[in-house]
């Protein structure tokens, strides 16, 4: 599963990274599943190609129409509720890749990490991906360290549930 912002433009370095990541995964025989929308989701689907892509789209009043790569594909599912979508995006995934994003991406990130932390799902690789030179995950790590770890809300071992990477090769 690839998670990230629907608002990431095509020229953004993270868009390019997500596309390269999807391509490398498909070359290794993996399927890519995204929310089926624009931005990072489109990039992951484009990189993997139509044959190696799934989409789990959410019906929203103001955005999140299916991206052109997956729009009329039989591997596109339309859902009404976020919790159902997250279940489908996580339940059968062998790994999760998180790219910079907003509330939805962070919701998906913390949902996956909570399920792994509490033993409600089997441990799977979780990689937080970003193009070289970015600071999104660095700042997130600072927050986790300064606000959660320092207050005892999480254990240091919880930080081993995921890894921050800056290339598609390292992620794969």
């Amino acid at each position: 599963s690839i998670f990230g912002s629907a608002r990431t433009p095509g020229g953004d370095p993270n868009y390019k990274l997500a596309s390269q990541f999807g391509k490398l995964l498909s070359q290794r025989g993996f399927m890519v599943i995204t929310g089926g929308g624009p931005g990072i989701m489109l990039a992951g689907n484009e990189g993997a190609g139509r044959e190696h892509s799934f989409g789990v789209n959410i019906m929203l009043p103001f955005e999140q129409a299916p991206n052109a790569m997956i729009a009329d594909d039989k591997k596109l599912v339309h859902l009404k509720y976020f919790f159902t979508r997250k279940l489908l995006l996580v339940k059968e995934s062998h790994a999760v890749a998180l790219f910079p994003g907003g509330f939805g991406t962070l919701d998906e990130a913390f949902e996956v990490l909570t399920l792994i932390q509490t033993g409600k799902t089997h441990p799977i690789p979780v990689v937080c991906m970003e193009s070289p030179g970015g600071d999104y995950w660095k700042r997130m790590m600072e927050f986790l360290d300064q606000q959660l770890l320092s207050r005892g809300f999480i254990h240091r071992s919880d930080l081993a549930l995921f890894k921050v990477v800056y290339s598609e090769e390292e992620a794969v």
Side-chain angles (χ1 to χ4, degrees):
S1 286
I2 296 177
F3 297 109
S5 179
R7 298 174 183 166
T8 303
D12 187 284
N14 288 311
Y15 185 101
K16 293 176 183 174
L17 180 62
S19 180
Q20 293 166 342
F21 179 61
K23 181 178 181 180
L24 190 55
L25 286 173
S26 70
Q27 290 172 347
R28 302 267 176 106
F30 291 99
M31 297 292 288
V32 167
I33 188 168
T34 75
I40 293 296
M41 296 171 279
L42 172 58
N45 290 137
E46 280 179 347
R50 192 173 178 92
E51 289 184 21
H52 292 94
S53 289
F54 283 91
V56 183
N57 199 253
I58 189 85
M59 296 180 286
L60 297 174
F62 54 89
E63 66 178 20
Q64 199 62 29
N67 67 56
M69 177 60 64
I70 198 81
D72 60 347
D73 194 286
K74 64 184 177 181
K75 296 184 307 297
L76 173 67
V77 178
H78 295 278
L79 298 173
K80 184 175 181 179
Y81 300 108
F82 278 107
F83 74 89
T84 311
R85 181 186 191 211
K86 281 192 298 186
L87 176 67
L88 291 177
L89 287 167
V90 174
K91 186 177 181 302
E92 300 299 328
S93 291
H94 292 92
V96 169
L98 301 159
F99 285 81
F103 291 147
T105 302
L106 293 176
D107 174 58
E108 292 154 345
F110 285 117
E111 176 82 15
V112 169
L113 293 173
T114 300
L115 290 170
I116 295 170
Q117 178 198 46
T118 60
K120 297 298 180 185
T121 192
H122 297 290
I124 59 172
V126 177
V127 291
C128 300
M129 298 181 67
E130 183 171 20
S131 62
D135 68 349
Y136 184 91
W137 295 116
K138 178 183 177 218
R139 293 196 183 244
M140 179 59 71
M141 292 300 296
E142 289 170 358
F143 172 79
L144 296 176
D145 185 55
Q146 294 169 8
Q147 298 299 320
L148 303 183
L149 190 60
S150 70
R151 296 172 190 227
F153 295 155
I154 62 172
H155 296 279
R156 178 145 314 272
S157 62
D158 293 331
L159 298 176
L161 297 175
F162 62 94
K163 183 175 181 177
V164 177
V165 299
Y166 298 94
S167 76
E168 66 275 15
E169 293 91 2
E170 187 177 7
V172 172

